[in-house]
Amino acid sequence: MLDSVRVRLTFWYTGLLALFLLALSLITYFIFWRSTLQRTDSDLSELSEAFLTTVQAEIQDNHGPEAVKLATQEAIVEHRFRDHVFAVLDAKGEVLTSSQDLPNETAPPGLLASASFRKLMEDSAGTDHLFRNVLGGKNGYRGLARKFPLKGQTYTLVILQSLHPQAEMLEEVRQTFAWVIPIAIILASVGGYFLARKSLAPVVAMSSQAGRIGAENLHERLPIQNAKDELGRLAASFNELLERVDQSFERQRRFMSDASHELRTPAAILRGESEVALSRTERSAEEYRESLAVLHAEAQRLTQIVEDLFTLTRADAGQYPLSPKDFYLDELVADCAHATRSLALAKRISLTCEVPEELPIRADEALLRRMILNLLDNAIKYTPEGGRVSVSCQRAGDEYTLNVTDSGPGIPGDLQQRVFERFFRVDKARTRSEKDGGGAGLGLSIARWIAEAHQGRLVVSRSDSSGSTFSAFLPAQVSVAAAPAPVFR
Ligand code: ADP
């Protein structure tokens, strides 16, 4: 049950409210009790003042040894209220007169002899005025002991006021709290539960909707009721996440289907060619050689595709290990131009290489070699016989610019970005039919990833009917320690 946010919220809310109400009632009760006591004390003070004025007046009319006793008795009779006990004690602490001697006295008879009363008298010895609680009766008394001089002697007036009415009032307050607080807590917890349920209802709806979304209906989105509130923003973020997952899922699906399509063709050629070779028993050595050459070319093509796919998959997972080392980029470029010379010669293409200065670099040499060879290979592959291909590399500020230019047919403007997509070929029919191993459309994806893994870029910087230029920009101080995973295309 406590697993539910609604219940937990309600518990917290109710608990905090109960604590708050309890603290509030305690404080209120304490303030009420203190003000009652203060009022009682001030009543007692006023009463004692009035009593002593009366005593002063009465003493004028009384003479002789009993004068003080008679005067105080008169004053007691005059000021006596119900619930009050008056007593006048002489300097020795002996009771001279008290209201207890009068008829209809409601206070308990032994009150003035009780230990609590004696304690009040003891404590008041050194002071003029002392308020103290005295035990006795049902709820005890509030007592005032006050010294006063009369006829050369010091007497103590003690007035005890029953605390019964105050106790009843405080009891009423306690009883009110005792039923008001539980009812307030019950009402608040029920209200809190419904409030939490209502506020969390959209989350419950969202989670059940999210639970229904799977690979088949990834395009579905959560409904957004109020885009500005927290839940609306949560739903919007969730929808954005779904959008990204959907797109990446779609790319994965396309990648898988393109990959299997690319692999199917060479596999079919291998099977067909080998079936043809095996179908006839009597075949000349020349015919076998031809068949084997076809099988070899297709096997090579298949291997290349599988290797390229493997490279890209590892790159996607950020698991391609880069091995940086110091070398000269100009030497690598010249080396690649030399390696592709025979390909160019076969198509009577003039291949020029221009590297005017030394270009030291720290990078993964094998990967950069692969990138440059890809670019040169494409340039030669897509340039008609007798054309021109050139490769150059120079420093520009704090980066190196490598340009591979050809006099091929160029790439239409709207497709210049797309050639870096996986399996994308401008003219699928043309490249596939080529005997020189038309690629699967992965070469430029890999080349761009290599440039990016070295914190560089690879772009089509010019392409029109007179030819194309692919430019790679590489920082001169490359740190390849943390090669980024390529953006999934
Ligand atoms: P492929 O293995 O098919 O060459 P790439 O990824 O290297 O794959 O190239 C993708 C596509 O870009 C090619 O199929 C081709 O249509 C186009 N392309 C690449 N380089 C050139 C170029 N130098 N001139 C014209 N088109 C090119």
Side-chain angles (χ1 to χ4, degrees):
M1 193 172 77
L2 279 176
D3 289 343
S4 152
V5 176
R6 272 178 303 198
V7 177
R8 278 210 305 272
L9 265 181
T10 312
F11 266 123
W12 272 104
Y13 170 65
T14 312
L16 286 176
L17 188 78
L19 269 180
F20 173 73
L21 285 179
L22 219 66
L24 193 72
S25 350
L26 282 176
I27 292 170
T28 312
Y29 185 79
F30 174 74
I31 292 173
F32 191 70
W33 169 80
R34 216 181 49 175
S35 78
T36 310
L37 207 64
Q38 278 168 350
R39 225 177 21 245
T40 309
D41 288 355
S42 91
D43 284 353
L44 283 172
S45 287
E46 275 175 30
L47 200 55
S48 70
E49 208 61 55
F51 182 89
L52 291 180
T53 313
T54 309
V55 169
Q56 291 298 343
E58 291 293 335
I59 200 78
Q60 312 294 331
D61 305 336
N62 289 289
H63 306 283
E66 294 286 283
V68 172
K69 186 168 177 161
L70 289 172
T72 49
Q73 252 171 5
E74 290 291 328
I76 289 177
V77 169
E78 195 169 315
H79 290 283
R80 182 182 173 217
F81 294 119
R82 215 172 146 263
D83 297 334
H84 283 77
V85 175
F86 283 78
V88 177
L89 294 95
D90 61 18
K92 285 185 232 140
E94 298 291 328
V95 179
L96 196 66
T97 47
S98 92
S99 58
Q100 297 241 283
D101 306 334
L102 301 174
N104 301 331
E105 178 55 47
T106 49
L111 183 63
L112 300 186
S114 70
S116 180
F117 184 81
R118 276 206 307 279
K119 181 95 173 68
L120 167 71
M121 291 313 297
E122 274 166 28
D123 292 350
S124 71
T127 162
D128 279 355
H129 235 94
L130 180 76
F131 290 102
R132 174 67 51 90
N133 281 1
V134 174
L135 297 176
K138 204 171 170 199
N139 300 104
Y141 290 84
R142 184 68 176 165
L144 164 65
R146 181 175 174 174
K147 299 257 171 15
F148 66 95
L150 206 60
K151 294 243 179 221
Q153 296 265 359
T154 301
Y155 294 91
T156 308
L157 164 67
V158 178
I159 310 175
L160 300 176
Q161 183 179 336
S162 168
L163 288 174
H164 186 62
Q166 287 90 330
E168 273 188 341
M169 219 146 57
L170 288 171
E171 174 61 22
E172 243 173 67
V173 172
R174 279 199 300 272
Q175 274 179 7
T176 310
F177 282 151
W179 64 265
V180 165
I181 293 177
I183 289 182
I185 290 174
I186 291 171
L187 285 181
S189 63
V190 172
Y193 180 77
F194 280 106
L195 212 67
R197 212 168 88 145
K198 191 165 162 26
S199 323
L200 292 172
V203 178
V204 177
M206 266 162 63
S207 83
S208 71
Q209 174 103 12
R212 281 198 298 274
I213 296 177
E216 322 73 44
N217 55 349
L218 253 184
H219 54 277
E220 278 185 27
R221 297 289 175 267
L222 297 180
I224 299 178
Q225 260 135 33
N226 184 356
K228 286 195 184 129
D229 68 9
E230 289 83 350
L231 293 175
R233 287 205 298 275
L234 176 68
S237 309
F238 194 78
N239 281 347
E240 281 165 22
L241 175 73
L242 277 179
E243 184 63 37
R244 287 197 297 277
V245 171
D246 192 14
Q247 281 176 7
S248 132
F249 214 72
E250 184 49 42
R251 278 192 295 263
Q252 285 278 18
R253 217 180 343 230
R254 216 175 52 219
F255 183 69
M256 290 298 287
S257 100
D258 285 347
S260 43
H261 180 79
E262 289 301 325
L263 292 172
R264 218 171 36 214
T265 314
I269 295 174
L270 283 178
R271 203 186 57 235
E273 193 63 35
S274 52
E275 274 171 9
V276 170
L278 293 170
S279 61
R280 278 193 285 144
T281 43
E282 298 271 321
R283 294 195 82 188
S284 68
E286 188 56 31
E287 281 172 325
Y288 277 124
R289 188 175 293 281
E290 260 174 38
S291 286
L292 280 175
V294 172
L295 289 178
H296 179 69
E298 281 312 312
Q300 240 178 356
R301 187 172 140 74
L302 202 60
T303 311
Q304 184 61 50
I305 294 174
V306 171
E307 263 174 20
D308 285 354
L309 282 176
F310 188 52
T311 303
L312 283 172
T313 321
R314 283 168 78 196
D316 282 345
Q319 283 173 354
Y320 198 101
L322 299 188
S323 319
K325 67 170 197 176
D326 295 315
F327 63 96
Y328 288 96
L329 185 59
D330 50 298
E331 286 177 7
L332 179 68
V333 172
D335 220 26
C336 292
H338 193 260
T340 47
R341 215 176 31 153
S342 56
L343 279 181
L345 262 176
K347 286 179 80 177
R348 290 189 295 108
I349 288 173
S350 88
L351 175 61
T352 53
C353 172
E354 206 181 316
V355 272
E357 52 183 327
E358 279 192 344
L359 306 171
I361 193 168
R362 180 167 179 78
D364 187 313
E365 190 179 6
L367 282 183
L368 285 192
R369 179 186 296 276
R370 189 163 174 183
M371 178 185 84
I372 301 166
L373 283 177
N374 260 336
L375 295 176
L376 278 172
D377 194 49
N378 276 350
I380 296 168
K381 192 160 62 182
Y382 298 110
T383 297
E385 292 212 0
R388 288 181 321 278
V389 169
S390 70
V391 55
S392 68
C393 190
Q394 63 272 323
R395 181 191 272 273
D398 45 9
E399 64 182 7
Y400 297 137
T401 312
L402 174 100
N403 289 320
V404 177
T405 305
D406 62 57
S407 60
I411 303 163
D414 53 329
L415 301 181
Q416 286 176 14
Q417 264 310 306
R418 298 202 58 199
V419 292
F420 296 101
E421 288 176 19
R422 294 171 185 190
F423 299 109
F424 183 83
R425 291 190 301 258
V426 174
D427 180 353
K428 296 204 176 202
R430 188 189 71 196
T431 41
R432 164 116 2 260
S433 65
E434 278 178 352
K435 284 261 171 192
D436 56 4
L442 292 174
L444 285 178
S445 303
I446 293 175
R448 180 171 259 188
W449 165 69
I450 293 172
E452 285 170 358
H454 289 81
Q455 282 106 58
R457 311 165 278 130
L458 174 64
V459 294
V460 177
S461 52
R462 178 194 70 92
S463 191
D464 52 34
S465 55
S466 65
S468 317
T469 301
F470 282 80
S471 302
F473 302 93
L474 297 171
Q477 291 301 320
V478 185
S479 156
V480 289
V487 183
F488 207 158
R489 290 188 193 87

